[in-house]
Amino acid sequence: MSDILDELQWRGLLQQHTDLDALREALSAGPITFYTGYDPTAKSLHHGHLVQLIVMRHLQNAGHKPIALVGGATGLIGDPRMSGERTLNEADVVAQWAQALREQIARFLSFEGDNGAVMVNNYDWTAPMSAISLLRDLGKYFRLGTMIAKDTVARRLASDEGISFTEFSYQLLQANDFLELYRRHGVTLQTGGNDQWGNLLGGVELVRKAEGASVHCLTTPLITKADGTKFGKSEGGAVWLDPELLSPYAFYQFWLGADDADVVRFLKVFTFLSREEIEELAEATAQRPKAREAQRALARAVTELVHGAQALADAEAATAALWGGGDLRAVSPATLLEAIAGLEVGELELGEATIVDALVATGQEKGRNAARKTIAQGGAYINNEKVADDERVLTTDDVLPGGLILVRKGRRNLAVVKVVGA
């Protein structure tokens, strides 16, 4: 079981920690119980939370027992950000989001067996706490100097806006979660992102002071691109795990677009592929970069992990149909609509409209002469079928579900004709 730390280190999932030798000894002595917290500050988790879910699953696969905490209480307060006060959401909204997060988290863990996961909500023990209890029983263990010295708090205090007492107090509540879970479930390890290091240490210190016990914490690094820039924005915004916020097709495309310089590292972090498999993909990337074997493996693994086998199959079918010459009519209407989101759209009426009109209407060509030249050179396609006749008229046979016709110029320039009246 102690080998799990080496595995996390190799995968780039271990950044800061307390006493690593003591933690390794605890992990090797037998199963421990650990926890990770997720605040419902939105209706869905995103790729950053996915890193934590994967760490939890690695630890569970190694025999340890996970506690997944949804912050129904801390989500009402808001963890301080580097800049700007959070907007406080209504209690009923936070409760709805908390339930949505519970359902998302549950898909990543096993709730069976001796080390089956347990789901908890910190609202259960935080809500009954009185102000007097908060100050006397909890606040007495915290020193103001330590609280102020935390990086986020220090930056906010130095800013023009400052920090409210509400957000300043967040660290007490998160630390109390560790104490409560130590008492209720015997939790001895908390994991989280590196931006949570100060809060995690607060929990470790609170358990030590209140119970005289030695517990541990570890963090994962912030995942960045090879050039050091922030990782995790799709064309539509955040990389949400909720398919209603980011379709499985768009999710698949996001991972498929990973740069060669990043893909091997992302395979280590975001998949459960073995070292041997990842090393083979690394070699393929070095020897045959145009084949993008590693990117396809990454997209397949993460999409299936998050959305399931059927969603992966749909995303791959849509990708093959749009970009690989596959059968567009074999793609479900819903997936097709997801796949074409963000493409240029032009409108035409059927009747006398031709392939030339389609290329111009969708902005593929600026004028009719240029469109005819593209067709003559073999670079024009209707629904993946090459068109050689510039007088080719669009008909009802060309119309896909949703009243759409796909128009492509060359290999990568894809657009959509929306048939008026279809």
Side-chain angles (χ1 to χ4, degrees), residues 39 41 73-81 86 88 166-168 170:
D39 276 350
T41 54
T74 43
L76 289 166
I77 303 302
D79 189 12
R81 298 179 297 187
R86 290 183 182 271
L88 297 181
T166 299
E167 290 196 1
F168 180 69
Y170 178 93

Side-chain angles (χ1 to χ4, degrees), residues 71-383:
T74 43
L76 289 166
I77 303 302
D79 189 12
R81 298 179 297 187
M82 286 295 184
S83 62
E85 196 84 3
R86 290 183 182 271
T87 299
L88 297 181
N89 296 297
E90 296 296 330
D92 60 340
V93 172
V94 173
Q96 292 171 13
W97 289 351
Q99 181 57 36
L101 265 56
R102 288 175 66 94
E103 294 172 3
Q104 285 188 322
I105 294 168
R107 298 201 298 268
F108 292 87
L109 303 171
S110 171
F111 291 80
E112 306 295 330
D114 293 338
N115 69 329
V118 174
M119 193 87 70
V120 298
N121 188 332
N122 62 15
Y123 190 84
D124 294 341
W125 56 78
T126 306
M129 186 184 299
S130 69
I132 295 298
S133 177
L134 173 69
L135 295 173
R136 282 180 57 87
D137 301 335
L138 186 59
K140 65 182 180 181
Y141 292 113
F142 290 81
R143 293 295 174 263
L144 193 59
T146 303
M147 295 175 70
I148 290 174
K150 290 185 177 179
D151 189 39
T152 303
V153 174
R155 291 194 187 189
R156 288 282 296 278
L157 286 172
S159 69
D160 292 336
E161 185 175 4
I163 186 171
S164 69
F165 181 74
T166 299
E167 290 196 1
F168 180 69
S169 302
Y170 178 93
Q171 54 189 296
L172 276 74
L173 300 184
Q174 181 169 330
N176 188 51
D177 290 341
F178 203 163
L179 179 60
E180 286 289 338
L181 292 176
Y182 172 82
R183 290 169 173 171
R184 294 171 182 237
H185 298 280
V187 170
T188 56
L189 169 66
Q190 180 182 183
T191 68
N194 203 46
D195 59 336
Q196 291 293 307
W197 176 245
N199 288 334
L200 270 61
L201 281 181
V204 170
E205 281 298 297
L206 178 59
V207 174
R208 182 184 65 80
K209 291 176 180 178
E211 297 290 336
S214 177
V215 293
H216 310 278
C217 65
L218 64 84
T219 66
T220 58
L222 175 66
I223 307 301
T224 60
K225 297 180 182 179
D227 60 8
T229 59
K230 189 174 181 179
F231 166 74
K233 287 291 184 182
S234 69
E235 290 186 6
V239 186
W240 299 109
L241 307 191
D242 186 335
E244 293 184 0
L245 297 180
L246 184 67
S247 74
Y249 172 82
F251 187 85
Y252 177 87
Q253 292 297 322
F254 171 79
W255 299 100
L256 193 62
D259 191 271
D260 287 348
D262 297 314
V263 66
V264 173
R265 186 160 47 90
F266 292 169
L267 282 165
K268 293 179 180 180
V269 170
F270 291 103
T271 81
F272 293 90
L273 296 180
S274 68
R275 295 194 187 200
E276 293 76 14
E277 290 172 312
I278 292 174
E279 287 169 358
E280 288 179 4
L281 290 166
E283 180 67 18
T285 299
Q287 298 297 326
R288 302 178 298 277
K290 291 184 179 180
R292 298 185 68 78
E293 295 173 48
Q295 282 84 349
R296 289 202 305 275
L298 175 66
R300 283 181 56 83
V302 184
T303 303
E304 184 170 13
L305 175 67
V306 174
H307 295 298
Q310 185 57 56
L312 169 61
D314 291 342
E316 288 188 310
T319 300
L322 264 66
W323 305 107
D327 183 5
L328 287 164
R329 297 185 186 278
V331 180
S332 70
T335 303
L336 181 61
L337 288 173
E338 292 169 357
I340 65 172
L343 297 179
E344 291 292 330
V345 178
E347 293 187 349
L348 286 175
E349 291 185 11
L350 293 184
E352 297 182 358
T354 67
I355 176 64
V356 170
D357 297 313
L359 288 168
V360 174
T362 56
Q364 301 281 56
E365 293 293 359
K366 294 182 179 180
R368 300 178 66 82
N369 288 336
R372 290 190 181 95
K373 183 177 180 180
T374 294
I375 297 166
Q377 293 174 342
Y381 299 78
I382 291 293
N383 295 339

